[in-house]
Amino acid sequence: MRPRHLALAVALAAVWGCNFVVMQTGLKHYPPLTYAALRFLLAAFPAVLVAGGPRVPWRWVLATGASLGVAQYGLLLLGMRAGMPAGLTSLVIQVQAVFTALFATALLGERLGRRRITGTVVAFAGLGLIAAGVVAESGAIPFGAFLLCVASAAGWGLGNVATRRAAPPDSLRFMVWVSAVSAPPLLALALMTEGPSSLGSFTVEGVGAVLYTALLSTLGGFAVWGWLLTRYDASLVAPYGLLVPVFGLASAALFTGEPVSPLTVAAGALILAGLLYAGTRPRTAPTPTPTPSPASR
């Protein structure tokens, strides 16, 4: 990845990392599905009225909306509401890179290779360590909440592959339409399960959280993410999200006082090391210059 693209990915990781604390704040004011519906509704309107068509087949817009919008964010916010803390969530969700590589191999024909397989195994070992910690500390973090976040990561992986397959020429326009098709099913689910009264909640803190997630994290963030996915293999772009939990854990510790246990550090090291190893290419030894034979001198 080119240096300026890497710098863009780091800035995006900071926005997404801090977003987990913002979402935790927003969930104090809105139920999870309502919050998800509001973020995509705000990301889509009024931009969709002036954006023009998505310029990709509608099946890819719908597929990305279903996986990235409804599945990923719906499950993520449900998991956080069920008890997953912001910092730990920002770490667990990074196994999306593993799911992205697996889905890209199965659906796009990208080659996984020995290096990425090894990195995937190491990353899953870190995830298993977190799962063991959740089980050992039963009651502190519900295991169901942890599983919801893992399922959310799988939804993100599918969304990455759908975005890669769509290859939108305009990532921002594409994300506007993905938000537009994500909002109605989320809104319908929210009305059925959470009731209409939650839509009338208005606080400065709650509205600010929705604005951050809608405009910075969703619309701007995934426009940049999609732009990168159209220029690089999905299984190579995804590991650059490994900086997200660094910002996520740091912001959660700073703003909410969430403790970072030795187990979390060890699991995070395994996950990030696995993703980093899988997402980088091995160095190739330079081809030696042949020495002229005595006869040719």
Side-chain angles (χ1 to χ4, degrees), residues 21 24 85-87 248-260:
V21 172
Q24 191 172 65
L249 288 165
S251 60
L254 179 63
F255 295 111
T256 70
E258 180 183 330
V260 181

Side-chain angles (χ1 to χ4, degrees), residues 134-160:
V134 170
V135 172
E137 299 176 7
S138 57
I141 300 175
F143 191 68
F146 168 77
L147 292 179
L148 283 170
C149 288
V150 174
S152 171
W156 190 354
L158 277 175
N160 286 337

Side-chain angles (χ1 to χ4, degrees), residues 135-186:
V135 172
E137 299 176 7
S138 57
I141 300 175
F143 191 68
F146 168 77
L147 292 179
L148 283 170
C149 288
V150 174
S152 171
W156 190 354
L158 277 175
N160 286 337
V161 170
T163 302
R164 172 72 175 168
R165 185 63 181 83
D170 186 333
S171 298
L172 181 58
R173 181 183 299 187
F174 178 70
M175 195 59 214
V176 167
W177 281 104
V178 167
S179 299
V181 301
S182 300
L186 283 168

Side-chain angles (χ1 to χ4, degrees), residues 251-281:
S251 60
L254 179 63
F255 295 111
T256 70
E258 180 183 330
V260 181
S261 68
L263 179 66
T264 300
V265 173
L270 281 174
I271 292 174
L272 300 185
L275 298 183
L276 183 61
Y277 184 78
T280 55
R281 293 182 177 137

Side-chain angles (χ1 to χ4, degrees), residues 19 22 30 40 46 70 76 81 96 98 111 151 162 185 228 236:
N19 186 51
V22 174
Y30 298 102
F40 285 114
V70 179
L76 178 68
R81 184 63 174 262
Q96 57 84 17
V98 174
R111 295 182 61 185
L228 292 172
L236 288 177

Side-chain angles (χ1 to χ4, degrees), residues 87-291:
L88 188 59
T89 299
S90 72
L91 178 59
V92 171
I93 197 69
Q94 291 316 304
V95 295
Q96 57 84 17
V98 174
F99 287 113
T100 298
L102 296 176
F103 290 140
T105 299
L107 302 176
L108 300 182
E110 293 184 9
R111 295 182 61 185
L112 195 57
R114 183 179 300 176
R115 189 179 186 89
R116 291 178 188 171
I117 291 174
T118 302
T120 295
V121 171
V122 173
F124 262 120
L127 185 65
L129 193 59
I130 292 176
V134 170
V135 172
E137 299 176 7
S138 57
I141 300 175
F143 191 68
F146 168 77
L147 292 179
L148 283 170
C149 288
V150 174
S152 171
W156 190 354
L158 277 175
N160 286 337
V161 170
T163 302
R164 172 72 175 168
R165 185 63 181 83
D170 186 333
S171 298
L172 181 58
R173 181 183 299 187
F174 178 70
M175 195 59 214
V176 167
W177 281 104
V178 167
S179 299
V181 301
S182 300
L186 283 168
L187 187 59
L189 288 170
L191 290 173
M192 287 188 295
T193 60
E194 298 167 353
S197 60
S198 59
L199 294 173
S201 176
F202 179 87
T203 63
V204 172
E205 189 176 61
V207 171
V210 173
L211 287 172
Y212 183 101
T213 54
L215 302 183
L216 285 180
S217 179
T218 302
L219 194 58
F222 276 101
V224 172
W225 187 254
W227 183 84
L228 292 172
L229 284 170
T230 61
R231 284 154 178 81
Y232 300 95
D233 283 352
S235 52
L236 288 177
V237 173
Y240 283 95
L242 60 85
L243 285 177
V244 171
V246 175
F247 289 105
L249 288 165
S251 60
L254 179 63
F255 295 111
T256 70
E258 180 183 330
V260 181
S261 68
L263 179 66
T264 300
V265 173
L270 281 174
I271 292 174
L272 300 185
L275 298 183
L276 183 61
Y277 184 78
T280 55
R281 293 182 177 137
R283 293 181 179 179
T284 55
T287 304
T289 303
T291 304

